Amino acid sequence: MFILVANLGSTSFKYRLFDMTDERLLARGGVERIGSDKSRSFVQVGEQRAENEQRVADHAEAVRICLDHLVELGCLQTPDDLAGIGFKAVHAEGVTGVHRIDERVLEAMESYADVAPAHNPPYVAAMRLLAERLPAIPLVAAFETGFHETIPPALRHYAVPKEWADQFGIKRWGFHGASHRYIAERAAALLQNPKAKIISCHLGGSSSLCAIEAGKSVANSLGMSPQSGLPHNNRVGDFDPFALPAIMRATRKPLEEILEDLASRSGLLGLSGSSNDLRDIEAAAKKGDARAQLALDVFVASVRQYLGAYLLLLNGADAIVFTGGIGENSATIRAAVCDRLDWFGIALDPACNLAASGETPIHDRTSRVQIWTMPTNEELIVARQTREWLLRSSQSTG
Ligand code: ADP
């Protein structure tokens, strides 16, 4: 069974093609700058990479071009070989889990365009186009919130009138589900302990911590929206809503503009004032830039607050796992997060931490808790969820 997992941006379409009989990654590719005269498509099969510049009008044309490439390269015999396209979808009103993308799901995602402003609008536009123009290919959405359905009520509810949760879904949904699910499964396998208590630290463009016990999410730092929890590259993280009237008075900006500031000009970018990329911020801090240093300090302090909370929640941990662009690559951030945890018996091995690449244990041999760097594989999780959905739906119709 061939499944394509799509990653959509407003002007980009990227994919990975899996043969799900053995979960093999066959190809990856995509199209960038969709809609411009400089659209560029690319495809990579093993070490072989091909690129092409041609105008690609929209996402449906981009998918068609990618399918043609995959046929030319022998990954598929015909485009009809594709069993379905899976999407890592973020948030929809009243919808979680895995669903065929139909008008009901699209409308539910559209209703939360302002709750997930960076994610939902480009996804809905592209999904609607694909559903219209490629009706023969099943499109399946695996929502990020699905993995967190096991979070208990005490950690799901905000202390607001309970009807808001019951009637309007105002609660901590949690996100990054595909990544944390992958880390839960992979770490349990590496530790050879299906009941392992794991704290998964996905630190990247968006960041979140997840407390996992026996493969299930019991807490996630992301709440009602992907703007919450830790500071993100340009999104705010946890914030007091009662600051809003004060900002509105002081800046005379309408609420929508301030929400836009919080969703795209805050986080590491807002604090540092210079970049949303941690590499730039680390370089600036090294040169003595105080704002860049503050951005790093706020980020690390926030990770440590959730780490401390989750150590308590789980009554200890078997492993702390770092993943995501920052988690995998920044030895400095990992060292700062794990600094002075000797009371917990948690200790990094500084040399292993510096040299880490890919799946690597980085704890000192005296540490009570293992510490790992681990590349995540959200696409594989979405491919598995899409396969399960397709098998279930063929059983129920067959
Ligand atoms: P996304 O959440 O958008 O998928 P990633 O997980 O790829 O993003 O993380 C991207 C972030 O990872 C970048 O913004 C950058 O700050 C950080 N990053 C990537 N490589 C490094 C590195 N070598 N050192 C420090 N930070 C890095």
Side-chain angles (χ1 to χ4, degrees):
M1 180 189 276
F2 298 105
I3 290 176
L4 199 85
V5 176
N7 184 342
L8 299 172
S10 51
T11 61
S12 69
F13 165 79
K14 290 187 196 143
Y15 70 83
R16 292 195 190 180
L17 176 70
F18 291 92
D19 180 348
M20 291 308 285
T21 45
D22 56 2
E23 299 196 334
R24 209 157 26 104
L25 176 67
L26 296 180
R28 63 176 81 198
V31 180
E32 281 166 350
R33 299 192 189 187
I34 294 172
S36 91
D37 287 335
K38 290 190 178 149
S39 313
R40 190 179 64 90
S41 63
F42 63 99
V43 56
Q44 184 162 350
V45 181
E47 296 297 296
Q48 220 184 331
R49 187 179 164 96
E51 289 190 9
N52 197 5
E53 266 194 29
Q54 71 192 101
R55 187 180 154 72
V56 179
D58 56 35
H59 283 79
E61 193 182 341
V63 173
R64 259 200 220 109
I65 287 172
C66 291
L67 292 179
D68 288 346
H69 285 161
L70 292 169
V71 172
E72 278 161 32
L73 291 166
C75 296
L76 299 173
Q77 282 189 334
T78 80
D80 296 338
D81 283 351
L82 199 64
I85 303 183
F87 297 84
K88 182 165 67 82
V90 172
H91 207 6
E93 185 170 10
V95 177
T96 181
V98 185
H99 297 269
R100 172 129 194 194
I101 296 167
D102 56 14
E103 203 41 45
R104 180 187 67 96
V105 169
L106 288 170
E107 277 173 19
M109 288 179 73
E110 235 157 18
S111 318
Y112 273 179
D114 47 7
V115 180
H119 304 92
N120 277 17
Y123 265 73
V124 170
M127 284 170 167
R128 183 163 273 135
L129 189 72
L130 296 183
E132 267 167 33
R133 302 253 295 274
L134 307 168
I137 306 178
L139 307 179
V140 177
F143 283 92
E144 292 276 49
T145 48
F147 182 56
H148 302 299
E149 282 171 33
T150 45
I151 294 178
L155 291 163
R156 291 280 265 184
H157 281 267
Y158 292 111
V160 295
K162 185 163 173 293
E163 308 82 68
W164 293 3
D166 300 341
Q167 293 168 22
F168 315 135
I170 308 300
K171 52 185 166 183
R172 293 193 178 94
W173 286 96
F175 301 91
H176 278 157
S179 176
H180 293 306
R181 190 191 292 269
Y182 177 82
I183 297 299
E185 291 176 9
R186 185 68 192 146
L190 287 167
L191 269 61
Q192 299 182 316
N193 177 6
K195 295 201 173 135
K197 299 178 198 178
I198 293 154
I199 301 176
S200 169
C201 309
H202 179 119
L203 311 178
S206 317
S207 296
S208 78
L209 261 64
C210 184
I212 296 158
E213 182 156 20
K216 293 194 166 67
S217 169
V218 289
N220 181 225
S221 57
L222 287 158
M224 169 69 196
S225 86
Q227 280 73 245
S228 53
L230 306 171
H232 308 279
N233 61 351
N234 58 4
R235 282 173 280 139
V236 59
D238 288 340
F239 182 69
D240 184 340
F242 277 84
L244 287 172
I247 305 169
M248 288 171 77
R249 262 197 315 279
T251 62
R252 296 176 186 276
K253 286 186 187 178
L255 178 64
E256 289 70 26
E257 239 176 83
I258 295 167
L259 291 177
E260 169 73 23
D261 286 340
L262 293 170
S264 56
R265 288 181 282 279
S266 297
L268 294 174
L269 174 65
L271 279 167
S272 72
S274 53
S275 175
N276 66 4
D277 190 304
L278 193 93
R279 285 165 287 201
D280 301 337
I281 298 171
E282 284 187 335
K286 236 183 209 161
K287 287 189 195 145
D289 181 328
R291 277 187 71 167
Q293 188 58 53
L294 178 69
L296 295 179
D297 293 346
V298 170
F299 183 69
V300 168
S302 182
V303 175
R304 283 171 65 91
Q305 281 194 12
Y306 278 102
L307 182 62
Y310 291 174
L311 283 168
L312 206 75
L313 179 69
L314 294 171
N315 188 16
D318 296 297
I320 297 168
V321 178
F322 288 96
T323 192
I326 297 172
E328 280 168 53
N329 296 305
S330 176
T332 327
I333 292 290
R334 291 193 301 261
V337 168
C338 297
D339 190 31
R340 289 187 304 111
L341 296 180
D342 43 305
W343 188 79
F344 297 89
I346 298 174
L348 263 188
D349 178 318
C352 291
N353 182 42
L354 266 183
S357 153
E359 261 175 17
T360 315
I362 55 172
H363 48 277
D364 186 83
R365 56 185 180 76
T366 61
S367 183
R368 285 174 68 191
V369 177
Q370 299 194 16
I371 312 172
W372 286 73
T373 58
M374 206 174 281
T376 193
N377 194 342
E378 297 168 283
E379 291 81 5
L380 178 60
I381 294 294
V382 174
R384 284 179 186 161
Q385 291 176 308
T386 305
R387 174 184 58 192
E388 280 158 29
W389 187 91
L390 289 167
L391 291 174
R392 262 203 320 275
S393 91
S394 72
Q395 277 160 8
S396 61
T397 54

CSV table of all heavy atoms in Angstrom, one decimal, residues 229-282:
chain,number,residue,atom,x,y,z
A,229,GLY,N,1.8,27.5,25.8
A,229,GLY,CA,2.9,26.6,26.3
A,229,GLY,C,4.3,27.4,26.3
A,229,GLY,O,4.4,28.5,26.7
A,230,LEU,N,5.3,26.7,25.7
A,230,LEU,CA,6.6,27.3,25.7
A,230,LEU,C,6.6,28.4,24.7
A,230,LEU,O,5.8,28.4,23.7
A,230,LEU,CB,7.6,26.2,25.2
A,230,LEU,CG,7.7,24.9,25.9
A,230,LEU,CD1,8.6,23.9,25.1
A,230,LEU,CD2,8.3,25.1,27.3
A,231,PRO,N,7.6,29.4,24.8
A,231,PRO,CA,7.7,30.3,23.7
A,231,PRO,C,8.1,29.6,22.4
A,231,PRO,O,8.9,28.7,22.4
A,231,PRO,CB,8.9,31.2,24.1
A,231,PRO,CG,9.2,30.9,25.5
A,231,PRO,CD,8.6,29.5,25.8
A,232,HIS,N,7.5,30.0,21.3
A,232,HIS,CA,7.9,29.4,20.0
A,232,HIS,C,8.7,30.3,19.2
A,232,HIS,O,9.1,31.4,19.7
A,232,HIS,CB,6.6,29.1,19.2
A,232,HIS,CG,5.6,28.3,20.1
A,232,HIS,ND1,5.7,26.9,20.2
A,232,HIS,CD2,4.6,28.7,20.9
A,232,HIS,CE1,4.7,26.5,21.1
A,232,HIS,NE2,4.1,27.6,21.5
A,233,ASN,N,9.0,30.0,17.9
A,233,ASN,CA,9.9,30.9,17.2
A,233,ASN,C,9.4,32.3,17.0
A,233,ASN,O,10.1,33.2,17.3
A,233,ASN,CB,10.3,30.3,15.8
A,233,ASN,CG,9.1,30.0,14.9
A,233,ASN,OD1,7.9,30.2,15.3
A,233,ASN,ND2,9.3,29.7,13.6
A,234,ASN,N,8.1,32.4,16.7
A,234,ASN,CA,7.5,33.7,16.6
A,234,ASN,C,6.1,33.8,17.3
A,234,ASN,O,5.4,34.8,17.2
A,234,ASN,CB,7.4,34.2,15.2
A,234,ASN,CG,6.6,33.3,14.3
A,234,ASN,OD1,6.0,32.3,14.8
A,234,ASN,ND2,6.5,33.5,13.0
A,235,ARG,N,5.7,32.7,18.0
A,235,ARG,CA,4.4,32.7,18.8
A,235,ARG,C,4.7,32.8,20.3
A,235,ARG,O,5.7,32.3,20.7
A,235,ARG,CB,3.7,31.4,18.4
A,235,ARG,CG,3.0,31.6,17.1
A,235,ARG,CD,2.4,30.3,16.6
A,235,ARG,NE,3.4,29.4,16.0
A,235,ARG,CZ,3.4,28.1,16.3
A,235,ARG,NH1,2.5,27.5,17.1
A,235,ARG,NH2,4.3,27.4,15.7
A,236,VAL,N,3.7,33.3,21.0
A,236,VAL,CA,4.0,33.8,22.3
A,236,VAL,C,4.3,32.8,23.4
A,236,VAL,O,5.1,33.0,24.3
A,236,VAL,CB,2.8,34.8,22.7
A,236,VAL,CG1,1.5,34.0,22.7
A,236,VAL,CG2,3.0,35.4,24.1
A,237,GLY,N,3.5,31.7,23.3
A,237,GLY,CA,3.6,30.7,24.5
A,237,GLY,C,2.6,31.2,25.6
A,237,GLY,O,1.8,32.1,25.3
A,238,ASP,N,2.7,30.7,26.8
A,238,ASP,CA,1.8,31.0,27.8
A,238,ASP,C,1.8,32.5,28.1
A,238,ASP,O,2.8,33.1,28.1
A,238,ASP,CB,2.1,30.3,29.1
A,238,ASP,CG,1.8,28.8,29.0
A,238,ASP,OD1,0.9,28.4,28.2
A,238,ASP,OD2,2.4,28.0,29.8
A,239,PHE,N,0.6,33.1,28.3
A,239,PHE,CA,0.4,34.5,28.4
A,239,PHE,C,-0.8,34.8,29.2
A,239,PHE,O,-1.8,34.1,29.1
A,239,PHE,CB,0.3,35.1,27.0
A,239,PHE,CG,0.2,36.5,26.9
A,239,PHE,CD1,1.3,37.3,27.2
A,239,PHE,CD2,-0.9,37.1,26.4
A,239,PHE,CE1,1.2,38.7,27.1
A,239,PHE,CE2,-1.0,38.5,26.3
A,239,PHE,CZ,0.0,39.3,26.6
A,240,ASP,N,-0.8,35.9,29.9
A,240,ASP,CA,-2.0,36.3,30.7
A,240,ASP,C,-3.0,37.1,29.9
A,240,ASP,O,-2.6,38.2,29.4
A,240,ASP,CB,-1.5,37.1,31.9
A,240,ASP,CG,-2.6,37.5,32.9
A,240,ASP,OD1,-3.8,37.4,32.5
A,240,ASP,OD2,-2.3,37.8,34.1
A,241,PRO,N,-4.2,36.6,29.7
A,241,PRO,CA,-5.1,37.3,28.8
A,241,PRO,C,-5.5,38.7,29.3
A,241,PRO,O,-6.0,39.6,28.6
A,241,PRO,CB,-6.4,36.4,28.7
A,241,PRO,CG,-6.2,35.5,29.8
A,241,PRO,CD,-4.8,35.3,30.1
A,242,PHE,N,-5.3,38.9,30.6
A,242,PHE,CA,-5.7,40.2,31.2
A,242,PHE,C,-4.6,41.3,30.9
A,242,PHE,O,-4.8,42.5,31.2
A,242,PHE,CB,-5.9,40.1,32.7
A,242,PHE,CG,-7.3,39.7,33.0
A,242,PHE,CD1,-7.6,38.3,33.0
A,242,PHE,CD2,-8.4,40.6,33.1
A,242,PHE,CE1,-8.9,37.9,33.1
A,242,PHE,CE2,-9.7,40.2,33.3
A,242,PHE,CZ,-10.0,38.8,33.3
A,243,ALA,N,-3.5,40.9,30.2
A,243,ALA,CA,-2.6,41.9,29.7
A,243,ALA,C,-3.2,42.6,28.4
A,243,ALA,O,-2.8,43.7,28.0
A,243,ALA,CB,-1.3,41.3,29.3
A,244,LEU,N,-4.2,41.9,27.8
A,244,LEU,CA,-4.7,42.4,26.5
A,244,LEU,C,-5.3,43.8,26.6
A,244,LEU,O,-5.0,44.7,25.8
A,244,LEU,CB,-5.7,41.4,25.9
A,244,LEU,CG,-5.1,40.2,25.4
A,244,LEU,CD1,-6.2,39.1,25.0
A,244,LEU,CD2,-4.2,40.5,24.2
A,245,PRO,N,-6.2,44.1,27.6
A,245,PRO,CA,-6.8,45.5,27.6
A,245,PRO,C,-5.7,46.5,27.8
A,245,PRO,O,-5.8,47.6,27.2
A,245,PRO,CB,-7.8,45.4,28.8
A,245,PRO,CG,-7.7,44.1,29.4
A,245,PRO,CD,-6.9,43.2,28.5
A,246,ALA,N,-4.7,46.2,28.6
A,246,ALA,CA,-3.6,47.2,28.9
A,246,ALA,C,-2.9,47.5,27.6
A,246,ALA,O,-2.5,48.6,27.3
A,246,ALA,CB,-2.7,46.7,30.0
A,247,ILE,N,-2.6,46.4,26.8
A,247,ILE,CA,-1.9,46.6,25.5
A,247,ILE,C,-2.7,47.4,24.5
A,247,ILE,O,-2.2,48.3,23.8
A,247,ILE,CB,-1.5,45.3,24.9
A,247,ILE,CG1,-0.7,44.4,25.8
A,247,ILE,CG2,-0.6,45.5,23.6
A,247,ILE,CD1,-0.5,43.0,25.3
A,248,MET,N,-4.0,47.1,24.5
A,248,MET,CA,-4.9,47.8,23.6
A,248,MET,C,-5.0,49.3,23.9
A,248,MET,O,-4.9,50.1,23.0
A,248,MET,CB,-6.3,47.2,23.6
A,248,MET,CG,-6.4,45.8,23.0
A,248,MET,SD,-7.9,44.9,23.3
A,248,MET,CE,-9.0,45.8,22.1
A,249,ARG,N,-5.0,49.6,25.2
A,249,ARG,CA,-5.1,51.0,25.6
A,249,ARG,C,-3.8,51.7,25.2
A,249,ARG,O,-3.8,52.8,24.7
A,249,ARG,CB,-5.3,51.1,27.1
A,249,ARG,CG,-6.7,51.4,27.6
A,249,ARG,CD,-6.8,51.9,29.0
A,249,ARG,NE,-5.9,51.1,29.9
A,249,ARG,CZ,-6.3,50.0,30.5
A,249,ARG,NH1,-7.4,49.4,30.2
A,249,ARG,NH2,-5.4,49.4,31.4
A,250,ALA,N,-2.6,51.0,25.5
A,250,ALA,CA,-1.4,51.7,25.3
A,250,ALA,C,-1.0,51.8,23.8
A,250,ALA,O,-0.4,52.8,23.4
A,250,ALA,CB,-0.3,50.9,26.0
A,251,THR,N,-1.4,50.9,23.0
A,251,THR,CA,-1.0,50.9,21.6
A,251,THR,C,-2.1,51.4,20.7
A,251,THR,O,-1.8,51.7,19.5
A,251,THR,CB,-0.6,49.5,21.1
A,251,THR,OG1,-1.7,48.6,21.2
A,251,THR,CG2,0.6,48.9,21.9
A,252,ARG,N,-3.3,51.5,21.2
A,252,ARG,CA,-4.5,51.8,20.4
A,252,ARG,C,-4.7,50.9,19.2
A,252,ARG,O,-5.3,51.2,18.2
A,252,ARG,CB,-4.4,53.3,19.9
A,252,ARG,CG,-4.4,54.3,21.0
A,252,ARG,CD,-4.2,55.7,20.4
A,252,ARG,NE,-4.0,56.6,21.5
A,252,ARG,CZ,-5.0,57.2,22.2
A,252,ARG,NH1,-6.2,56.9,21.9
A,252,ARG,NH2,-4.8,58.0,23.2
A,253,LYS,N,-4.1,49.7,19.3
A,253,LYS,CA,-4.3,48.7,18.3
A,253,LYS,C,-5.6,47.9,18.6
A,253,LYS,O,-5.9,47.6,19.7
A,253,LYS,CB,-3.2,47.7,18.2
A,253,LYS,CG,-1.9,48.3,17.6
A,253,LYS,CD,-0.9,47.1,17.5
A,253,LYS,CE,0.5,47.5,17.1
A,253,LYS,NZ,1.4,46.4,17.1
A,254,PRO,N,-6.3,47.5,17.5
A,254,PRO,CA,-7.5,46.6,17.8
A,254,PRO,C,-7.0,45.2,18.2
A,254,PRO,O,-5.8,44.8,18.0
A,254,PRO,CB,-8.2,46.5,16.4
A,254,PRO,CG,-7.1,46.9,15.4
A,254,PRO,CD,-6.1,47.8,16.1
A,255,LEU,N,-7.9,44.5,18.8
A,255,LEU,CA,-7.6,43.1,19.3
A,255,LEU,C,-6.9,42.2,18.2
A,255,LEU,O,-6.0,41.5,18.5
A,255,LEU,CB,-8.8,42.5,19.9
A,255,LEU,CG,-8.7,41.0,20.4
A,255,LEU,CD1,-7.7,41.0,21.6
A,255,LEU,CD2,-10.0,40.4,20.8
A,256,GLU,N,-7.5,42.3,17.0
A,256,GLU,CA,-7.0,41.4,15.9
A,256,GLU,C,-5.5,41.7,15.7
A,256,GLU,O,-4.7,40.7,15.5
A,256,GLU,CB,-7.8,41.6,14.6
A,256,GLU,CG,-9.2,41.1,14.6
A,256,GLU,CD,-10.1,41.9,15.5
A,256,GLU,OE1,-9.8,43.2,15.7
A,256,GLU,OE2,-11.1,41.4,16.0
A,257,GLU,N,-5.1,42.9,15.7
A,257,GLU,CA,-3.7,43.3,15.4
A,257,GLU,C,-2.8,42.8,16.6
A,257,GLU,O,-1.7,42.3,16.3
A,257,GLU,CB,-3.6,44.8,15.3
A,257,GLU,CG,-3.0,45.2,13.9
A,257,GLU,CD,-3.0,46.7,13.8
A,257,GLU,OE1,-2.0,47.3,14.3
A,257,GLU,OE2,-3.9,47.3,13.2
A,258,ILE,N,-3.3,42.9,17.8
A,258,ILE,CA,-2.5,42.4,18.9
A,258,ILE,C,-2.4,40.9,18.9
A,258,ILE,O,-1.3,40.3,19.1
A,258,ILE,CB,-3.1,42.9,20.3
A,258,ILE,CG1,-2.9,44.4,20.3
A,258,ILE,CG2,-2.3,42.3,21.4
A,258,ILE,CD1,-3.7,45.1,21.4
A,259,LEU,N,-3.5,40.2,18.5
A,259,LEU,CA,-3.4,38.8,18.4
A,259,LEU,C,-2.4,38.4,17.3
A,259,LEU,O,-1.7,37.4,17.5
A,259,LEU,CB,-4.8,38.2,18.1
A,259,LEU,CG,-5.8,38.3,19.2
A,259,LEU,CD1,-7.2,37.7,18.8
A,259,LEU,CD2,-5.3,37.5,20.5
A,260,GLU,N,-2.4,39.2,16.3
A,260,GLU,CA,-1.4,38.9,15.2
A,260,GLU,C,0.0,39.1,15.7
A,260,GLU,O,0.9,38.3,15.4
A,260,GLU,CB,-1.7,39.9,14.0
A,260,GLU,CG,-0.7,40.0,12.9
A,260,GLU,CD,-0.7,38.8,12.0
A,260,GLU,OE1,-1.7,38.1,11.9
A,260,GLU,OE2,0.3,38.6,11.3
A,261,ASP,N,0.2,40.1,16.5
A,261,ASP,CA,1.6,40.3,17.2
A,261,ASP,C,1.9,39.1,18.0
A,261,ASP,O,3.1,38.7,18.0
A,261,ASP,CB,1.6,41.6,18.1
A,261,ASP,CG,1.6,42.9,17.3
A,261,ASP,OD1,2.0,42.9,16.1
A,261,ASP,OD2,1.2,43.9,17.9
A,262,LEU,N,0.9,38.6,18.8
A,262,LEU,CA,1.2,37.5,19.6
A,262,LEU,C,1.5,36.2,18.9
A,262,LEU,O,2.2,35.3,19.3
A,262,LEU,CB,0.1,37.3,20.6
A,262,LEU,CG,-0.2,38.4,21.6
A,262,LEU,CD1,-1.5,38.2,22.4
A,262,LEU,CD2,1.0,38.4,22.7
A,263,ALA,N,0.9,36.1,17.7
A,263,ALA,CA,1.0,34.9,16.9
A,263,ALA,C,2.1,34.9,15.9
A,263,ALA,O,2.5,33.8,15.4
A,263,ALA,CB,-0.4,34.6,16.2
A,264,SER,N,2.7,36.1,15.6
A,264,SER,CA,3.7,36.1,14.6
A,264,SER,C,4.9,37.0,14.9
A,264,SER,O,5.9,37.0,14.1
A,264,SER,CB,3.1,36.3,13.2
A,264,SER,OG,2.4,37.5,13.2
A,265,ARG,N,4.8,37.8,15.9
A,265,ARG,CA,5.9,38.7,16.2
A,265,ARG,C,6.4,38.6,17.6
A,265,ARG,O,6.9,39.5,18.2
A,265,ARG,CB,5.6,40.2,15.8
A,265,ARG,CG,5.5,40.4,14.3
A,265,ARG,CD,5.1,41.9,14.0
A,265,ARG,NE,3.7,42.2,14.2
A,265,ARG,CZ,2.8,41.9,13.3
A,265,ARG,NH1,3.1,41.3,12.2
A,265,ARG,NH2,1.5,42.2,13.5
A,266,SER,N,6.1,37.5,18.2
A,266,SER,CA,6.4,37.3,19.7
A,266,SER,C,7.4,36.1,19.8
A,266,SER,O,8.2,36.0,18.9
A,266,SER,CB,5.2,37.1,20.5
A,266,SER,OG,4.3,38.2,20.4
A,267,GLY,N,7.3,35.4,20.8
A,267,GLY,CA,8.3,34.2,21.0
A,267,GLY,C,9.7,34.7,21.0
A,267,GLY,O,10.1,35.8,21.4
A,268,LEU,N,10.6,33.8,20.4
A,268,LEU,CA,12.0,34.1,20.3
A,268,LEU,C,12.3,35.4,19.5
A,268,LEU,O,13.2,36.2,19.8
A,268,LEU,CB,12.8,32.9,19.7
A,268,LEU,CG,12.8,31.6,20.5
A,268,LEU,CD1,13.4,30.5,19.8
A,268,LEU,CD2,13.5,31.8,21.9
A,269,LEU,N,11.4,35.6,18.5
A,269,LEU,CA,11.6,36.7,17.6
A,269,LEU,C,11.3,38.0,18.4
A,269,LEU,O,12.1,39.0,18.4
A,269,LEU,CB,10.7,36.6,16.4
A,269,LEU,CG,10.6,37.9,15.5
A,269,LEU,CD1,12.0,38.1,14.8
A,269,LEU,CD2,9.6,37.7,14.4
A,270,GLY,N,10.2,38.0,19.1
A,270,GLY,CA,9.8,39.2,19.8
A,270,GLY,C,10.8,39.6,20.9
A,270,GLY,O,11.2,40.7,21.1
A,271,LEU,N,11.3,38.5,21.7
A,271,LEU,CA,12.2,38.8,22.7
A,271,LEU,C,13.6,39.3,22.2
A,271,LEU,O,14.1,40.2,22.7
A,271,LEU,CB,12.4,37.5,23.6
A,271,LEU,CG,11.3,37.2,24.6
A,271,LEU,CD1,11.4,35.8,25.1
A,271,LEU,CD2,11.4,38.2,25.8
A,272,SER,N,14.1,38.6,21.2
A,272,SER,CA,15.4,38.9,20.7
A,272,SER,C,15.4,40.1,19.9
A,272,SER,O,16.4,40.9,19.8
A,272,SER,CB,16.0,37.7,19.9
A,272,SER,OG,15.3,37.7,18.6
A,273,GLY,N,14.3,40.4,19.2
A,273,GLY,CA,14.2,41.6,18.3
A,273,GLY,C,15.0,41.4,17.0
A,273,GLY,O,15.0,42.3,16.2
A,274,SER,N,15.6,40.3,16.8
A,274,SER,CA,16.4,40.1,15.6
A,274,SER,C,16.1,38.9,14.8
A,274,SER,O,16.2,39.0,13.6
A,274,SER,CB,17.9,40.1,16.0
A,274,SER,OG,18.1,39.1,17.0
A,275,SER,N,15.8,37.8,15.4
A,275,SER,CA,15.6,36.6,14.5
A,275,SER,C,14.6,35.6,15.2
A,275,SER,O,14.5,35.6,16.5
A,275,SER,CB,16.9,35.9,14.3
A,275,SER,OG,16.8,34.7,13.7
A,276,ASN,N,14.0,34.8,14.4
A,276,ASN,CA,13.2,33.7,15.0
A,276,ASN,C,14.0,32.4,14.9
A,276,ASN,O,13.4,31.3,15.2
A,276,ASN,CB,11.9,33.6,14.3
A,276,ASN,CG,12.0,33.1,12.9
A,276,ASN,OD1,13.1,32.8,12.4
A,276,ASN,ND2,10.9,33.1,12.1
A,277,ASP,N,15.2,32.4,14.5
A,277,ASP,CA,16.0,31.2,14.3
A,277,ASP,C,17.0,31.1,15.5
A,277,ASP,O,17.8,32.0,15.7
A,277,ASP,CB,16.7,31.2,13.0
A,277,ASP,CG,17.4,29.9,12.7
A,277,ASP,OD1,18.2,29.4,13.5
A,277,ASP,OD2,17.0,29.3,11.6
A,278,LEU,N,16.9,30.0,16.2
A,278,LEU,CA,17.8,29.8,17.4
A,278,LEU,C,19.3,29.9,17.1
A,278,LEU,O,20.0,30.4,17.9
A,278,LEU,CB,17.5,28.5,18.1
A,278,LEU,CG,18.1,28.5,19.5
A,278,LEU,CD1,17.1,29.0,20.5
A,278,LEU,CD2,18.6,27.1,19.8
A,279,ARG,N,19.7,29.5,15.9
A,279,ARG,CA,21.1,29.6,15.5
A,279,ARG,C,21.6,31.0,15.5
A,279,ARG,O,22.6,31.3,16.1
A,279,ARG,CB,21.3,29.0,14.1
A,279,ARG,CG,21.3,27.5,14.1
A,279,ARG,CD,21.2,27.0,12.7
A,279,ARG,NE,19.8,27.2,12.2
A,279,ARG,CZ,19.3,26.6,11.2
A,279,ARG,NH1,20.0,25.6,10.6
A,279,ARG,NH2,18.0,26.8,10.8
A,280,ASP,N,20.8,31.9,14.9
A,280,ASP,CA,21.1,33.4,14.9
A,280,ASP,C,21.1,33.9,16.4
A,280,ASP,O,22.0,34.7,16.7
A,280,ASP,CB,20.1,34.2,14.2
A,280,ASP,CG,20.0,33.7,12.7
A,280,ASP,OD1,21.0,33.1,12.2
A,280,ASP,OD2,18.9,34.0,12.1
A,281,ILE,N,20.2,33.5,17.2
A,281,ILE,CA,20.0,34.0,18.5
A,281,ILE,C,21.2,33.5,19.4
A,281,ILE,O,21.8,34.3,20.1
A,281,ILE,CB,18.7,33.6,19.1
A,281,ILE,CG1,17.6,34.2,18.3
A,281,ILE,CG2,18.6,34.1,20.6
A,281,ILE,CD1,16.2,33.7,18.7
A,282,GLU,N,21.6,32.3,19.2
A,282,GLU,CA,22.8,31.8,20.0
A,282,GLU,C,24.0,32.5,19.5
A,282,GLU,O,24.9,32.9,20.4
A,282,GLU,CB,23.0,30.3,19.7
A,282,GLU,CG,22.0,29.4,20.5
A,282,GLU,CD,22.2,27.9,20.4
A,282,GLU,OE1,22.9,27.4,19.4
A,282,GLU,OE2,21.8,27.2,21.3
